[in-house]
Amino acid sequence: MNIPFNKPDIRQEEIESVVEVLKSGWLIQGKYSAQFEEEFCKFAACRHAALVSTCTAGLHLSLMAMDVRAGDEIIVPAQTHAATAHVVELMGATPVFVDVDKHTANTTADRISAAITKKTRGVMVVHMSGIACEMDDIMSVAESKRLFVIEDCAHALGTFYKGKHAGNFGVSGCFSFYPTKHITTGEGGMAITNDEKVFSAIKITRAFGIDTPPELRAKPGVYDVRKLGNNYRLTDFQAAFGLHQLRRFQTGNLAHRKRIARKYIGLLDACRDEVAFNEFMEDCSYFFFPIYIKNKDRDQIMLFLKEKGVGVTVHYATPVPLMSYYRNKYNLKEGMFPNAEYVARKQISLPMQPTLQDNEIEYIVAMLKEKIYG
Ligand SMILES: Cc1ncc(COP(=O)(O)O)c(C=O)c1O
């Protein structure tokens, strides 16, 4: 068998809509971008959504909107993609890494609380693998210290916490449409917010800081730049593509991910002596299915699965503070983030694409068992 890790579900309707936009000649910020933002808002039940070129761009724009400066400290979980910390560095601010929970790989309010200093301005949270962070606790710490929270929702499309979609708790929530994610546009992302000022800042800074978009200019080509900006726009053909992805996610693919999770849990039930995993969570969006290898060598198992045609990966094999750039710059060492290091050593991400069939899930678990018990 050949089962790639999180292969995107791309259909004829996506292909046709891309061709239609290409033929139209209107390639940037057209009707599909507006429609994608509108439908995304409805799905996430947020006030505003801004389409951006990547999740990283959305996170960067969110920090710009909060006017983060050199000398500010921003709390970042140790287990995440480098992007969550990089955007803090790009602002000239300092990422202060905190450990995560061993079972969810999410950071927690008590760890955040312990890392707060006089210089702390904000907190980045990551809803790892689609499991929501404990947002009530985190928001209450943040609010009591007047800190902003930015939600890295790269894993969290379709993730809910107490009935509210992820991304609605902090000043913004940023989603990724990278090919392995819940939905894709190739590269792409969405920044959502319920704050008028943050929305306006994100919209302006995603397009060079220009005050008036082309369609609203009184005279062609005449505009002012009132703030620093970047070019973080997405194309309209990607938006047209993404609309189909979002609609299918809502009408079937999210539910299918949950069916896959239940199937994994059922099949892995007999392996609890060697494999740890979370029980089924209805509010989790299952970006991938994380398992933890208790006693055996994780890397050997991963390599065996790869050899057997199963696309697996690790989220993430090196905690960000232990990557050379951060380790050297901030003098960070092994042993400082024990749970993040445990996740890095023990975790395997099993595939979760919406096209995954029952026989493929059975094969994945059979191969896992063969290596562990064989
Ligand atoms: C937790 C997390 N944050 C941010 C990103 C960056 O997303 P993008 O590639 O859309 O910039 C990723 C990418 O995989 C991620 O996993």
Side-chain angles (χ1 to χ4, degrees), residues 142-286:
E143 279 159 15
S144 72
K145 299 287 181 184
R146 297 173 160 269
L147 307 177
F148 66 78
V149 172
I150 292 172
E151 296 175 71
D152 180 337
C153 295
H155 299 190
L157 183 65
T159 292
F160 287 82
Y161 176 80
K162 298 193 177 171
K164 226 160 129 176
H165 197 285
N168 279 299
F169 298 88
V171 289
S172 78
C174 302
F175 297 81
S176 171
F177 305 146
Y178 180 75
T180 58
K181 295 299 191 317
H182 298 86
I183 68 171
T184 188
T185 55
E187 296 280 9
M190 193 76 82
I192 69 167
T193 181
N194 294 301
D195 182 314
E196 216 63 54
K197 276 196 193 142
V198 171
F199 181 54
S200 161
I202 287 177
K203 269 206 315 193
I204 290 171
T205 44
R206 83 174 163 184
F208 309 106
I210 288 173
D211 67 342
T212 336
E215 64 278 15
L216 298 180
R217 287 175 199 157
K219 292 183 192 165
V222 180
Y223 56 79
D224 192 16
V225 169
R226 293 198 212 135
K227 53 197 308 189
L228 189 62
N230 213 314
N231 181 358
Y232 281 156
R233 293 173 300 200
L234 196 75
T235 64
D236 213 44
F237 48 90
Q238 286 171 289
F241 186 111
L243 261 172
H244 291 294
Q245 293 267 309
L246 180 64
R247 288 173 186 164
R248 251 195 343 272
F249 182 69
Q250 294 176 71
T251 54
N253 285 352
L254 175 58
H256 190 58
R257 283 172 185 274
K258 294 182 186 178
R259 274 198 296 278
I260 297 170
R262 285 187 192 277
K263 176 103 181 153
Y264 273 133
I265 291 168
L267 293 169
L268 288 167
D269 190 50
C271 313
R272 288 179 190 270
D273 55 336
E274 294 287 350
V275 182
F277 51 91
N278 292 305
E279 297 308 329
F280 182 75
M281 288 171 266
E282 185 55 44
D283 285 346
C284 176
S285 61
Y286 291 102

Side-chain angles (χ1 to χ4, degrees), residues 25-101:
W26 189 278
L27 303 187
I28 307 272
Q29 290 186 320
K31 65 177 179 185
Y32 289 112
S33 301
Q35 205 175 334
F36 193 13
E37 287 172 342
E38 196 184 313
E39 292 192 20
F40 200 94
C41 268
K42 278 202 187 113
F43 175 66
C46 59
R47 226 172 272 155
H48 304 289
L51 204 46
V52 286
S53 54
T54 59
C55 174
T56 310
L59 295 170
H60 193 191
L61 292 169
S62 302
L63 289 171
M64 288 173 85
M66 298 317 290
D67 203 17
V68 166
R69 296 176 180 200
D72 289 346
E73 290 181 357
I74 309 293
I75 295 172
V76 176
Q79 250 312 351
T80 182
H81 189 283
T84 325
H86 280 358
V87 287
V88 175
E89 285 282 304
L90 288 170
M91 296 300 296
T94 305
V96 173
F97 294 101
V98 290
D99 206 3
V100 297
D101 175 75

Side-chain angles (χ1 to χ4, degrees), residues 3-20:
I3 308 168
F5 179 77
N6 286 10
K7 183 169 183 251
D9 172 27
I10 298 169
R11 310 240 180 125
Q12 191 59 25
E13 54 200 19
E14 272 96 324
I15 294 164
E16 280 167 14
S17 65
V18 168
V19 171
E20 182 209 313

